Amino acid sequence: MEKEVLKSFKNLTPSSIFLSKSENKLESLIKIGFPNRNSENWKYTKLSKLFKSNFNDPKSPSLKVYPKSKLPSTSTSTIVVENGKINTHLTCLDNIDGLEVALFSESGIELASKIDHTVSNYEDAFTYLNGYLLNEGINIKVKKHIKISQPLHIVNVVTKSCVAVNSRLNIELEECAELTVLQSFISENSSSSFVNHVTEAHISENANLHIDKLQDYQNNYNIVSEYINQKSNSSFTINTFSYSGLLIRNGLNIDVNGQNCHTELNGVFTVSENDYIDNHTLVNHLEPNCQSHENYKGIIEDEGIGVFNGKVIVHKDAQKIQAYQNNNNILLSDYSKVFAKPELEIFADDVKCSHGSTTGQLDEEALFYLQSRGVGLGTAQKLLLEGFIAEIADKISCEKFKEYVLGKLI
Amino acid sequence: MSNTIIKINNLRCEVEGQEILKGLNLDVKKGEIHAIMGPNGSGKSTLSSVLAGKEEYEVTSGTVDFLGNDLLELSPEERSWEGLFLAFQYPVEIPGVSNVNFLRTALNERNKFLEKDQISAKDFLAMVKEKAALVGLNNKLKNRSVNEGFSGGEKKRNEIFQMAMLEPKLSILDETDSGLDIDALKIVSDGVNQLKSEKTATIVITHYQRLLDYIVPDFVHVLSDGKIIKSGDKSLALELEEKGYDWLKSDI
Ligand SMILES: Nc1ncnc2c1ncn2[C@@H]1O[C@H](COP(=O)(O)OP(=O)(O)O)[C@@H](O)[C@H]1O
Ligand SMILES: [Mg+2]
């Protein structure tokens, strides 16, 4: 059984990081096994290729220069994680009052009580795998009442082919703390590698976390599992921009565990060639008087496949919830596909919820209009696609990040 | 140099297998204003779409010469770069695309085609200010998404604003007057008249004579069932106003 489950990962060394409790994770993984086509949440996800691979342990960081052309040129504190480990040469972290950054490998028991709280509400095979094989984890803590004005950029780069990288980010915001994280997942001279990442965030009362996330993993596999826990009066926003990857899957799980919370999930996925990009989101409204807003836009061309599955659960006593969900997709070729499923499960009676999804082509009338004014066809298409994602790009906190994201559209 | 801006010769076109234009002829020379009138469904918008290069209209025969170019061979953007402009009867709304930014892109793509310099941000803004004033386009509308949430009248003004920005050689105004109240009609017509020059020409499509009190045509043509069935001077428009179109139809 164990052998069968771990077939693709048999060459990999279990994590020696104390915090990741690798033995327990393996046990849990073997107990539930990996999802397959019969697992409701994974039925479109083409995992077969991933499981046919035979991954190796990642190599130590070796990049000497910052991969500028693949990243937004932010002039902000940057942590570079290369093949799962910190690249100390490229990491540049300002000393900021109230911000603490620690590595799992260098932390002891005191951090153990802070992690896995939200993760353990969910049983997820890839998250267990991540714990079993963890290369390194970063813990970021912002202390009470500290508002970090400068965004923190965390670059996760894979620079080796056919390796499996298991990385983790833990964010802890104390009361009234504020933080913006830019997260870039990219590859450099790598193909057929697998980056399996887990983010867990705990947002205390009145705290505010904003994440802008970029994924550009041409010819590689990437699964990101995110577990967010919000306390009352807190705010959480995540904007996910996914550009390429043999398989990209984002599993975003948010427990809204307090009143008067604001939760916002936005995303853009552009899928081309034979790529597959999948966004699964779950917002769990456990307490009353909260708002959540979700908006994802897909642009699919060639033989790409996009998936959007957004689920909102409003629990029994969570009255006066406002939950809005929207998904729009544009198919640019006859062979591109999208599977869209917005879902609402409401167990409270006094709520305002809406959800909707549309899939269509680029508006021919609008294209002709722009062309007739002298905008060339290619530029007109780009303008329309930019217009299509504009309301989401406008949510990006950092201007450089936004420029980069818009520049990557076709 | 020839004085002809556009010469349409025996133009026939189909949409979805149905013939709409059935052998249309029209010559427009520099400095002229032509009015095309005709009942609903006679093919006026089809003619403007075909001239602007809309794909779904299939030209089955005929030729169109535009300033020495074979117009029908050009893409819609090339037609614009050569100096053709169509003010749409129903301008589309384009969410997320800025009303002025796209114009700057358009001007720069045209300048590139004409091997001219790119327009500087400063010159562009000065031009926007001047032309917006010309058509009384509300400041707020300049920075919004193209036509999004504009009223009917605002959309028409925006068309004339864009025309002013692009400085075309031939402007085709497809029912720019419909949906305009009398004040807006005056402003739009003033704009068109101010842009008029000896080197450019205008085709005004309308089915009301009202507009022609403000934009005075040199020629009036009646389009019916895909053909021009009568041409005359501006008095023809007054006659049509009085008698309707039926007296002409019974002529043929
Ligand atoms: N895209 C189209 N598809 C099908 N029929 C069309 C289309 N465009 C125009 N037509 C038909 O062509 C005829 C002329 O229409 P149109 O050019 O809009 O007339 P006008 O502008 O003079 O009112 C009408 O019978 C109309 O139904
Ligand atoms: Mg019409």
Side-chain angles (χ1 to χ4, degrees), chain A residues 119-240:
Chain A
V119 170
S120 56
N121 295 341
Y122 297 85
E123 290 204 314
D124 179 80
F126 286 98
T127 302
Y128 290 137
L129 181 75
N130 177 278
Y132 171 55
L133 296 170
L134 190 70
N135 302 115
E136 183 60 285
I138 301 172
N139 191 67
I140 292 171
K141 174 169 162 179
V142 182
K143 292 195 157 167
K144 258 185 205 169
H145 295 284
I146 299 287
K147 298 181 173 22
I148 312 281
S149 55
Q150 195 200 64
L152 178 65
H153 193 179
I154 301 175
V155 176
N156 214 316
V157 57
V158 57
T159 59
K160 186 88 186 128
S161 293
C162 303
V163 297
V165 171
N166 288 274
S167 55
R168 174 147 181 178
L169 172 65
N170 215 59
I171 301 173
E172 187 192 348
L173 299 192
E174 292 190 345
E175 281 167 41
C176 304
E178 264 180 47
L179 178 70
T180 296
V181 175
L182 311 176
Q183 235 184 338
S184 300
F185 292 92
I186 58 158
S187 60
E188 177 89 336
N189 303 321
S190 152
S191 61
S192 308
S193 282
F194 171 40
V195 176
N196 182 29
H197 179 87
V198 173
T199 295
E200 183 177 23
H202 181 82
I203 310 171
S204 305
E205 287 79 4
N206 295 299
N208 180 350
L209 177 64
H210 182 115
I211 299 178
D212 292 324
K213 181 172 122 200
L214 163 80
Q215 289 163 303
D216 194 1
Y217 266 140
Q218 214 166 11
N219 296 321
N220 294 287
Y221 307 91
N222 178 215
I223 293 180
V224 176
S225 311
E226 287 143 325
Y227 303 91
I228 315 293
N229 184 35
Q230 280 186 263
K231 284 284 160 61
S232 35
N233 300 306
S234 70
S235 159
F236 172 67
T237 300
I238 183 163
N239 302 315
T240 301

Side-chain angles (χ1 to χ4, degrees), chain B residues 44-245:
Chain B
K44 302 184 298 295
S45 292
T46 301
L47 174 64
S48 35
S49 297
V50 170
L51 295 180
K54 195 150 200 221
E55 237 176 42
E56 65 203 69
Y57 296 88
E58 192 198 341
V59 175
T60 49
S61 76
T63 57
V64 181
D65 180 282
F66 178 60
L67 295 165
N69 299 293
D70 179 355
L71 186 76
L72 302 175
E73 285 299 304
L74 304 180
S75 67
E77 56 268 38
E78 286 166 336
R79 297 176 195 211
S80 164
W81 298 334
E82 295 288 357
L84 184 88
F85 181 88
L86 167 62
F88 287 86
Q89 181 173 5
Y90 304 108
V92 291
E93 301 193 4
I94 315 183
V97 175
S98 148
N99 202 34
V100 290
N101 285 352
F102 101 87
L103 271 178
R104 189 163 172 211
T105 306
L107 282 171
N108 278 333
E109 294 213 343
R110 180 195 66 191
N111 284 5
K112 195 168 154 203
F113 174 80
L114 298 176
E115 298 179 349
K116 286 195 195 162
D117 288 341
Q118 300 284 287
I119 183 163
S120 76
K122 188 165 156 268
D123 291 351
F124 177 73
L125 287 178
M127 194 174 170
V128 166
K129 205 169 158 193
E130 182 202 328
K131 307 295 185 186
L134 189 75
V135 293
L137 187 73
N138 187 318
N139 232 338
K140 275 181 290 185
L141 300 181
K142 291 189 308 205
N143 298 318
R144 289 237 296 264
S145 293
V146 181
N147 294 325
E148 194 183 31
F150 288 29
S151 71
E154 286 166 346
K155 284 181 185 166
K156 296 302 175 82
R157 273 186 215 217
N158 195 28
E159 294 293 283
I160 304 303
F161 164 68
Q162 293 179 37
M163 173 179 129
M165 290 293 292
L166 294 167
E167 300 175 321
K169 300 197 174 91
L170 175 66
S171 305
I172 304 166
L173 311 182
D174 190 359
E175 307 226 13
T176 301
D177 52 334
S178 59
L180 289 188
D181 63 29
I182 202 78
D183 291 332
L185 188 68
K186 274 184 195 156
I187 294 168
V188 165
S189 314
D190 280 352
V192 172
N193 288 327
Q194 286 182 54
L195 295 167
K196 185 183 165 191
S197 86
E198 284 162 17
K199 289 186 190 140
T200 64
T202 310
I203 297 174
V204 184
I205 293 171
T206 180
H207 59 240
Y208 301 109
Q209 122 80 19
R210 185 177 80 143
L211 176 69
L212 304 179
D213 288 340
Y214 300 97
I215 303 177
V216 182
D218 301 297
F219 301 94
V220 174
H221 311 276
V222 180
L223 184 67
S224 175
D225 195 23
K227 274 192 297 239
I228 288 179
I229 55 164
K230 193 169 175 68
S231 296
D233 62 13
K234 66 176 185 226
S235 64
L236 177 58
L238 292 168
E239 209 174 341
L240 287 170
E241 172 101 328
E242 219 172 281
K243 302 191 193 164
Y245 293 104

Side-chain angles (χ1 to χ4, degrees), chain A residues 50-172:
Chain A
L50 177 83
F51 287 128
K52 273 189 206 120
S53 311
N54 197 353
F55 297 109
N56 295 313
D57 274 329
K59 292 279 181 309
S60 307
S62 59
L63 268 189
K64 294 281 179 289
V65 285
Y66 190 73
K68 256 201 209 107
S69 63
K70 301 236 166 134
L71 286 167
S73 57
T74 54
S75 56
T76 191
S77 279
T78 302
I79 300 173
V80 177
V81 179
E82 181 185 347
N83 301 333
K85 298 273 194 203
I86 304 292
N87 181 321
T88 46
H89 187 71
L90 300 178
T91 293
C92 160
L93 205 51
D94 295 339
N95 225 331
I96 300 170
D97 258 359
L99 175 73
E100 291 177 5
V101 178
L103 300 181
F104 278 27
S105 62
E106 293 170 359
S107 304
I109 190 90
E110 73 281 6
L111 195 54
S113 63
K114 304 282 171 106
I115 61 174
D116 280 352
H117 279 297
T118 311
V119 170
S120 56
N121 295 341
Y122 297 85
E123 290 204 314
D124 179 80
F126 286 98
T127 302
Y128 290 137
L129 181 75
N130 177 278
Y132 171 55
L133 296 170
L134 190 70
N135 302 115
E136 183 60 285
I138 301 172
N139 191 67
I140 292 171
K141 174 169 162 179
V142 182
K143 292 195 157 167
K144 258 185 205 169
H145 295 284
I146 299 287
K147 298 181 173 22
I148 312 281
S149 55
Q150 195 200 64
L152 178 65
H153 193 179
I154 301 175
V155 176
N156 214 316
V157 57
V158 57
T159 59
K160 186 88 186 128
S161 293
C162 303
V163 297
V165 171
N166 288 274
S167 55
R168 174 147 181 178
L169 172 65
N170 215 59
I171 301 173
E172 187 192 348

